[in-house]
Amino acid sequence: MSNEKLSEYRSGYVALIGRPNAGKSTLLNRLVGEKIAAVSNKPQTTRFAIRGIITRPEGQIVLVDTPGVHKPGHMLNRRMMGAVHDALHGVDLVCLIRDAATSTGAGDHFGLDLIKEADKPALLLLNKTDKLPDKSKLLPLIESYGVECDWRSVVPISALTGDMIETLLAEIMKHLPVGEPIFAADELTDQSIRSLAAEIVREKILHVTGDEIPYITAVVTEKWQEVREDFTRIYCAIFVERPTQKAIIIGHGAARLKEIGIQARQDIERLLGHRCHLELFVKVEADWRDKANLLEELGIHQS
């Protein structure tokens, strides 16, 4: 890269934080343009920081999607909140995502406290504006948050529809330091393809089971076979805590597990660019959220 271009080029790490279900993973997928994070209407979908990479002629943004801000309980939750704290310390800019269609709760105050403790440049993103026919309802929210922090900018967005996304990208880029690209221009994430496949399967479990099963499931890609250049065999294990949960995921005559597999395979094939065979197994592992060895296998490490 020439010295002239380098003097104009900006790059850096940007943390996305907020309450569970604020829309962080949806925004990450929207900005990157690929499904690299599991998206669900259930809380705590994101288990660990997932980096999405956006490369433009003017700069490179490395987005760090973090678990939803919540009170730690199990070892899983403690490690998830550890990922949030780690992300805040290692970034150049923080984006606090606030669901503009909900009332303020304790989790919102906790998120603000994290922003203040991090003492990093911050943007306030008021998400889900598609749910607000009357945009003037944003004004009290902007005013109340404005006195809490010295925001570099406040951007109302809809991660779902893409409204104001280009404006957001420009604002993020403007507040990054001048520097060389961190990743190659064709990279979209630093996650392995095996991890992405497992994330996709977990998302489909949440979609297909609806309210019948809690979000306490985990997926591990146990085997990955490149049979041919245009065909891959993938074997994923789905962990649940109780036999009743296993029965719910499998469904009558294995119909539900088959539907999860069909939906996941379609997304994985789009990601790979070729056909694949996806085989799913459901395993009961009591109290897996407190088992360090399984959390390590899932990539949820001790901070």
Side-chain angles (χ1 to χ4, degrees):
M1 187 174 290
S2 70
N3 290 334
E4 183 181 349
K5 286 185 178 178
L6 185 59
S7 66
E8 303 166 357
Y9 199 89
R10 294 178 179 273
S11 65
Y13 290 88
V14 181
L16 305 178
I17 73 164
R19 286 174 66 179
N21 204 26
K24 298 181 301 301
S25 296
T26 303
L27 179 60
L28 177 71
N29 291 336
R30 167 71 66 176
L31 291 171
V32 175
E34 291 284 348
K35 183 170 288 184
I36 64 170
V39 177
S40 169
N41 59 2
K42 298 182 181 181
Q44 297 180 27
T45 307
T46 301
R47 296 272 170 74
F48 49 90
I50 297 176
R51 291 171 180 82
I53 304 157
I54 304 162
T55 303
R56 296 285 183 92
E58 66 272 24
Q60 186 178 82
I61 301 167
V62 183
L63 293 166
V64 183
D65 179 27
T66 61
V69 173
H70 63 285
K71 186 177 180 180
H74 296 274
M75 184 187 294
L76 167 66
N77 304 91
R78 293 194 295 274
R79 290 194 177 191
M80 286 163 64
M81 285 309 299
V84 175
H85 287 282
D86 287 348
L88 288 174
H89 286 296
V91 297
D92 303 288
L93 181 70
V94 180
C95 290
L96 177 62
I97 304 178
R98 171 67 157 83
D99 183 344
T102 62
S103 56
T104 302
D108 295 305
H109 295 299
F110 188 25
L112 276 168
D113 288 341
L114 286 173
I115 292 281
K116 293 172 186 176
E117 288 172 20
D119 194 27
K120 296 285 179 74
L123 305 183
L124 174 61
L125 314 184
L126 300 178
N127 191 26
K128 305 190 182 182
T129 56
D130 52 292
K131 293 186 176 181
L132 293 175
D134 182 7
K135 298 301 187 287
S136 67
K137 291 185 177 179
L138 291 170
L139 297 176
L141 201 55
I142 293 171
E143 186 176 344
S144 65
Y145 271 75
V147 299
E148 295 286 346
C149 183
D150 183 20
W151 307 102
R152 296 298 175 93
S153 183
V154 178
V155 188
I157 62 167
S158 171
L160 185 64
T161 67
D163 187 43
M164 294 289 283
I165 292 301
E166 285 300 320
T167 300
L168 171 60
L169 282 170
E171 280 296 327
I172 291 174
M173 201 75 76
K174 187 181 3 177
H175 294 98
L176 292 182
V178 171
E180 295 183 9
I182 300 166
F183 292 92
D186 60 350
E187 291 186 80
L188 295 178
T189 180
D190 66 348
Q191 298 296 298
S192 72
I193 196 72
R194 293 170 67 111
S195 297
L196 296 180
E199 278 290 290
I200 289 171
V201 171
R202 193 161 64 90
E203 177 191 51
K204 300 312 176 187
I205 293 168
L206 298 173
H207 283 178
V208 172
T209 59
D211 294 328
E212 286 193 64
I213 193 167
Y215 50 83
I216 303 303
T217 57
V219 181
V220 175
T221 301
E222 294 195 330
K223 192 187 294 185
W224 187 284
Q225 296 178 329
E226 299 285 355
V227 180
R228 299 189 307 269
E229 190 175 318
D230 62 346
F231 185 73
T232 305
R233 290 187 183 275
I234 304 165
Y235 301 83
C236 290
I238 300 167
F239 290 92
V240 294
E241 294 188 317
R242 296 191 295 273
T244 52
Q245 295 170 348
K246 177 177 179 177
I248 289 171
I249 287 180
I250 292 175
H252 182 67
R256 185 169 280 152
L257 187 63
K258 182 179 180 181
E259 180 60 27
I260 291 167
I262 290 171
Q263 291 189 22
R265 180 177 54 78
Q266 290 170 346
D267 277 4
I268 293 170
E269 286 183 341
R270 276 195 287 270
L271 194 65
L272 296 175
H274 62 249
R275 289 176 56 242
C276 74
H277 170 80
L278 175 64
E279 196 154 332
L280 304 178
F281 307 88
V282 186
K283 299 181 178 181
V284 178
E285 185 77 40
D287 303 319
W288 69 262
R289 288 177 291 171
D290 283 315
K291 294 185 176 178
N293 61 330
L294 184 53
L295 294 179
E296 288 294 327
E297 190 176 353
L298 291 167
I300 308 169
H301 305 295
Q302 177 71 49
S303 297

